[in-house]
């Protein structure tokens, strides 16, 4: 059931509001299974009924119409943090990416790791308090670090991936919720796919290029 829930959430995240019958077809699950799982998720506030499907340019048909369901945008809230060129930016959004609060602070170019982590935690706690939220309402925090800061922040390779635990573990202990980290340009590319396009125009693949004093890029397949 957990796997099916994850697949349903992933489908809705990628394709937007979808009917149960179309979820059933896409995931090759029985209609009964989809109905049971989505009803439970609606009872928990994760999903909600968005309305009836009404394809553009088509006449309304008789009989039972498809009811679209979608992820409830305010079910949980997420912190996003960017550390780039001596500036820390902390923001809070709902699951649709609507920004509810943000703060930034300039730190020295050669970052002191403990000072950086303390600053992130302080701003996150202040924004959470201003928004009248509890830890139970926070899904987690995403931390975005550019490649040029990896060495000074203690981020090292571990197998084929980078090990961000020197940053994420201390933050999790301070904040009390999950913290995940990723390279900044990879994060920008993924965010552009998620929030930069209408649902029916999202690209499956992307080459994302960021040009400032240097040029960095990310390939998303």
């Amino acid at each position: 059931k957990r796997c099916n829930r994850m697949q349903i959430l992933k489908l809705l995240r990628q394709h937007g509001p979808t009917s149960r019958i179309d979820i059933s077809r896409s995931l090759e699950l029985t209609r009964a299974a989809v109905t049971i799982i989505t009803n439970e998720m609606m009872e928990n506030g994760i999903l909600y009924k968005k309305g009836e499907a009404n394809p553009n340019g088509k006449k309304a048909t008789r009989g039972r119409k498809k009811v679209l369901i979608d992820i409830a945008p305010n079910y949980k809230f997420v912190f996003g943090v960017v550390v780039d060129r001596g500036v820390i930016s902390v923001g809070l959004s709902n699951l649709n990416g609507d920004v509810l609060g943000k703060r930034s602070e300039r730190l020295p170019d050669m970052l002191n790791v403990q000072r950086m982590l303390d600053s992130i935690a302080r701003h996150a706690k202040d924004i959470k308090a201003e928004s009248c939220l509890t830890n139970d309402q926070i899904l987690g925090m995403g931390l975005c670090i550019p490649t040029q800061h990896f060495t000074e922040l203690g981020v090292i390779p571990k197998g084929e991936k980078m090990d961000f635990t020197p940053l994420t573990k201390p933050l999790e202990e301070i904040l009390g919720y999950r913290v995940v980290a990723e390279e900044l340009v990879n994060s920008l590319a993924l965010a552009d796919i998620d929030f930069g396009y209408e649902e029916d125009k999202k690209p499956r693949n992307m080459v994302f290029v960021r040009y400032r004093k240097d040029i960095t890029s990310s390939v998303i397949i």
Side-chain angles (χ1 to χ4, degrees):
K1 182 183 289 187
R2 179 178 174 82
C3 180
N4 290 338
R5 284 165 63 105
M6 290 172 62
Q7 290 298 319
I8 290 171
L9 288 171
K10 184 177 180 181
L11 186 146
L12 293 173
R13 190 74 197 88
Q14 291 177 338
H15 300 287
T18 309
S19 69
R20 288 187 177 91
I21 187 170
D22 289 333
I23 291 174
S24 173
R25 290 170 179 168
S26 297
L27 300 182
E28 297 183 351
L29 297 172
T30 65
R31 295 187 189 181
V34 170
T35 298
I36 291 171
I37 294 170
T38 55
N39 281 347
E40 288 180 355
M41 295 173 80
M42 281 191 284
E43 289 175 4
N44 294 331
I46 303 170
L47 304 180
Y48 77 108
K49 292 182 180 179
K50 193 174 181 69
E52 294 181 343
N54 186 21
N56 293 331
K58 294 184 179 181
K59 294 181 179 180
T61 57
R62 293 183 179 180
R64 193 171 183 179
K65 294 183 179 179
K66 293 181 179 179
V67 175
L68 303 178
I69 61 174
D70 200 2
I71 299 172
N74 295 323
Y75 167 65
K76 297 281 185 179
F77 301 87
V78 181
F79 278 104
V81 180
V82 173
V83 179
D84 190 24
R85 302 183 187 279
V87 177
I88 294 173
S89 301
V90 181
L92 176 72
S93 78
N94 64 11
L95 299 183
N96 278 347
D98 301 320
V99 178
L100 307 178
K102 57 183 177 180
R103 292 189 177 191
S104 62
E105 179 181 353
R106 178 169 291 279
L107 295 179
D109 290 336
M110 295 302 292
L111 295 175
N112 177 287
V113 177
Q114 190 57 54
R115 181 179 175 183
M116 182 195 77
L117 297 178
D118 290 342
S119 176
I120 292 171
R122 183 178 70 256
H123 290 313
K125 288 178 179 179
D126 288 346
I127 294 172
K128 187 185 73 173
E130 291 170 359
S131 303
C132 300
L133 298 176
T134 64
N135 273 10
D136 291 340
Q137 295 171 282
I138 304 298
L139 187 63
M141 172 181 285
L143 178 61
C144 306
I145 307 290
T147 305
Q148 61 264 34
H149 286 332
F150 280 2
T151 301
E152 61 195 274
L153 296 179
V155 178
I156 59 174
K158 188 175 183 180
E160 297 181 356
K161 297 183 178 181
M162 301 303 295
D163 182 11
F164 290 96
T165 53
L167 305 177
T168 57
K169 288 295 183 183
L171 279 174
E172 287 179 341
E173 292 176 2
I174 297 171
L175 296 171
Y177 46 79
R178 190 181 180 196
V179 179
V180 296
E182 180 57 87
E183 202 283 329
L184 175 58
V185 175
N186 291 342
S187 302
L188 291 172
L190 292 169
D192 195 48
I193 290 176
D194 278 345
F195 302 110
Y197 299 86
E198 295 178 8
E199 295 296 340
D200 59 343
K201 297 180 180 178
K202 287 185 178 182
R204 293 181 58 84
N205 310 308
M206 172 186 286
V207 177
F208 185 96
V209 180
R210 183 180 190 236
Y211 174 60
R212 297 189 70 181
K213 290 182 179 179
D214 52 8
I215 297 175
T216 50
S217 64
S218 176
V219 179
I220 304 297
I221 304 298

